Amino acid sequence: MIKMPSQTADIFKILSKGLFISSNSSGKATADLFEVIDSEGNFELLRNYFLNIGFVLEKGDQYYYFSRQETKQDLEKKIEKAYKWIDYVDFLKTFDTAFSAGLRFSISDILTKLKIDADLEGKLSAIGKDAKSWEDAVRNIIDDLVKDSFIELCNEISGEYKVLAAFKYIEDLIMTININTEEDAQ
Amino acid sequence: MSKFANIRDLFAMLKREEKILTDFFEKRKLNGLKYDYVSDVLENQDDRIKYLVDKEVIREHSDTFELDELYISFFEQALDANEEINISYINENIETIKQNINYYVNEKGETKRNEYIRKIKNTLRNIGVITIHNVIDLKRNVENTYKTEANYKNKKLKLQNFDKKSNDINSLILQSEKLIDENESSFFAATLDDELQTIISNLKVSLDKSKHNLIEIKKQIINFLNQIQAQSIFIDKLRKIKYLKDQVTLKSSTDFIEVLKKKNDLVFDTAPQYPLKLSLVALQTDEAVRESILKIAARKKCGIKIQRPIAEIISSELLDTKTEEEIFINHEVIKNAFLASGYSNLLDYMETYKYPKEVNFEDIILIYCQLVSLYETDLVFNGEYQEKNGVNFAIVTHKQ
């Protein structure tokens, strides 16, 4: 009987909710879980274990997540979510071209840049049509990304956020999309 | 324009003008300081300004002043804040050594020879120090540029320039090593004393350290350049995808749908719920569960208050006591009377009996049946019937 790591239940709890476990999480507990999955032999062990219940443990660049074996998901919802992410990433990369895993920022940084960058402002108004103020619109975007575990709040007092390794998931998704070239379109 | 006559004057100036020089240095990245401002700080003493300009400490451009490059360089290097990495010093030092070796060889006089040797020793020391300094500066600048340079193009260009610089430093290190090893080894062999030996071995260590650091720096630069490349590729792709999305042609112009179809990642699920039922065993046995149940029960009790509807005032009419009289037939009395009488046929007796109220034939039938069922122990039915008024009666008598 192979011994499963004692953190298997915790790992399942997080991943089964559709969240990510990133290596650069400021919460020590989550960062530790990453180390557990990442350590020698554990990944295969856990992958086989979870396969038995229909969950596939997937490996990304410094992050892990679950996927299902069978297609059960609503394609429309997936498209909606992907569209939303494309808008978010475009906005954030306009705010800072180096916006990616590891970056620390605060909402006030974004608000400051909004005042001087008309392009950024335009993108935000397209995303946050219903928001009452710029701050609300930005907060909505950030809260949404925090909820899906792509970003985390690491200092409540200073309002500093950290971009987790899982953010690369969205980047990878975008890179995977192939744009048809002229020849294909014929 | 004159320079300082001696070092004491220089120090005096530095001490006297400490405030304004600090200001100049701190604001060196701006477009100089305005005349009025400088005048203010120097308490409107124009001759002090004139002195500084004369000694070429500060320079005048239209109506602003700037600190001379000489001082900026010195301060930056002394404070490790320089962004320019000047490798010409190393080059010159190497040249100086070569020249001094030459002078030494040509000179026969003892004192002069010693002078040259001293110069060579100092220069050798210098090379080691400067090289390490340059390497450290380079590393610092590479990191700063990558982290802070906002302009993409310039970031890339600066890093590429740093790469060239690292190559230059490397070749100078090699030259230095060659110098102390092969070329002039005859010179060094001849003049070798403890001090020189120490200096040379120290220099070798420094150069070695520098070489290793440079390898790291080069790796770092390549890493950064790759990241920039990857980022710019990504940004390109992102812009294209965003454009197609805004044009609402994303689905038709790409394999967006196929990609999404293939992915079954949980992150696309809307907050999956796994509502579980409570364990029956736990409900029955667990103490903590029992407390929860009691808490909820108590809450539920308080929650629902049964409202007793308050009735209206009873009207005074209804409060009057009314009496209603009803005369009822006492079956016991009739039965006893029948038994006491001489009649053998219940029905016959019933017809003669004085009832307390008016009875009709229907009532008599009813009373008859009631009596028979009530007192079946005292009455006997012998199986015969009699007819009266069209109704068949069973003949009932009393027990003998």
Side-chain angles (χ1 to χ4, degrees), chain A residues 15-16 18 65-68 71 73 78-79 81 83 87 90 93 123 169 171 175 177-178 180, chain B residues 234 237 239 241-242 245 250-257 260 263-269 272:
Chain A
L15 295 182
S16 61
Y65 62 101
F66 266 174
S67 71
R68 281 192 214 279
T71 338
Q73 291 156 335
K78 282 198 238 183
I79 295 176
K81 212 153 193 181
Y83 274 179
D87 284 340
D90 183 46
K93 288 277 183 188
K123 291 187 180 178
Y169 173 82
E171 293 180 357
M175 286 307 279
I177 303 175
N178 287 315
N180 301 335
Chain B
F234 174 74
K237 185 83 177 272
R239 300 269 180 250
I241 300 275
K242 175 84 169 70
K245 172 185 164 291
L250 185 60
K251 290 189 207 170
S252 50
S253 313
T254 68
D255 62 351
F256 179 62
I257 299 289
L260 282 183
K263 279 184 166 290
N264 290 323
D265 308 324
L266 250 62
V267 64
F268 287 112
D269 278 353

Side-chain angles (χ1 to χ4, degrees), chain B residues 43-299:
Chain B
E43 292 153 352
N44 288 319
Q45 290 166 0
D46 279 346
D47 44 331
R48 276 161 79 181
I49 298 180
K50 193 162 181 307
Y51 182 74
L52 288 173
V53 174
D54 258 356
K55 299 293 181 196
E56 291 180 354
V57 178
I58 64 177
R59 204 165 320 182
E60 199 172 347
H61 285 286
S62 47
D63 64 341
T64 54
F65 288 105
E66 264 176 18
L67 188 57
D68 187 72
E69 192 56 39
L70 177 69
Y71 294 91
I72 293 183
S73 262
F74 168 63
F75 293 148
E76 278 187 344
Q77 289 194 37
L79 295 167
D80 243 351
N82 59 324
E83 290 186 344
E84 292 302 318
I85 297 167
N86 205 339
I87 53 176
S88 56
Y89 286 133
I90 309 178
N91 210 6
E92 277 170 34
N93 282 332
I94 295 177
E95 284 310 308
T96 310
I97 293 184
K98 288 196 184 141
Q99 288 162 9
N100 274 287
I101 290 179
N102 248 340
Y103 301 153
Y104 175 88
V105 166
N106 294 336
E107 178 64 50
K108 296 299 172 208
E110 191 65 33
T111 27
K112 274 305 245 205
R113 277 195 145 198
N114 284 340
E115 237 184 75
Y116 293 137
I117 288 187
R118 252 194 45 247
K119 180 94 186 148
I120 289 172
K121 283 183 184 169
N122 287 338
T123 317
L124 282 173
R125 267 198 215 101
N126 229 5
I127 292 180
V129 167
I130 293 183
T131 310
I132 291 253
H133 242 140
N134 273 348
V135 167
I136 294 176
D137 281 350
L138 184 62
K139 185 172 206 317
R140 198 184 66 237
N141 280 323
V142 164
E143 286 193 14
N144 281 346
T145 305
Y146 181 70
K147 290 191 181 135
T148 57
E149 177 61 55
N151 187 318
Y152 235 27
K153 274 209 183 106
N154 283 341
K155 196 191 284 204
K156 200 161 152 190
L157 285 172
K158 285 186 184 175
L159 285 174
Q160 282 166 340
N161 286 335
F162 286 140
D163 195 32
K164 247 187 269 155
K165 268 270 159 66
S166 81
N167 290 339
D168 294 340
I169 299 181
N170 220 7
S171 71
L172 283 172
I173 291 179
L174 291 174
Q175 274 187 50
S176 310
E177 286 182 330
K178 221 162 129 209
L179 181 66
I180 53 182
D181 266 339
E182 299 148 46
N183 282 4
E184 316 285 8
S185 58
S186 56
F187 164 78
F188 285 117
T191 54
L192 207 58
D193 60 5
D194 285 341
E195 197 188 6
L196 188 56
Q197 211 166 22
T198 325
I199 293 175
I200 289 183
S201 61
N202 282 344
L203 178 58
K204 283 204 180 128
V205 167
S206 294
L207 292 177
D208 223 19
K209 227 199 279 181
S210 301
K211 261 200 288 195
H212 285 132
N213 273 312
L214 276 178
I215 296 177
E216 277 310 308
I217 293 175
K218 244 191 131 60
K219 261 200 234 163
Q220 180 82 295
I221 294 178
I222 293 178
N223 200 357
F224 284 152
L225 284 171
N226 282 342
Q227 283 188 32
I228 293 178
Q229 181 70 335
Q231 274 177 25
S232 92
I233 291 179
F234 174 74
I235 299 258
D236 250 359
K237 185 83 177 272
L238 172 66
R239 300 269 180 250
K240 288 202 187 101
I241 300 275
K242 175 84 169 70
Y243 175 72
L244 289 174
K245 172 185 164 291
D246 290 341
Q247 295 284 312
V248 201
T249 52
L250 185 60
K251 290 189 207 170
S252 50
S253 313
T254 68
D255 62 351
F256 179 62
I257 299 289
E258 278 76 43
V259 167
L260 282 183
K261 271 199 193 147
K262 270 192 240 139
K263 279 184 166 290
N264 290 323
D265 308 324
L266 250 62
V267 64
F268 287 112
D269 278 353
T270 38
Q273 303 281 353
Y274 300 116
L276 299 169
K277 303 285 183 270
L278 288 170
S279 148
L280 290 173
V281 176
L283 277 172
Q284 287 163 355
T285 54
D286 198 328
E287 245 328 295
V289 176
R290 184 170 174 278
E291 283 178 24
S292 303
I293 296 178
L294 287 174
K295 227 199 291 181
I296 297 171
R299 234 189 282 148

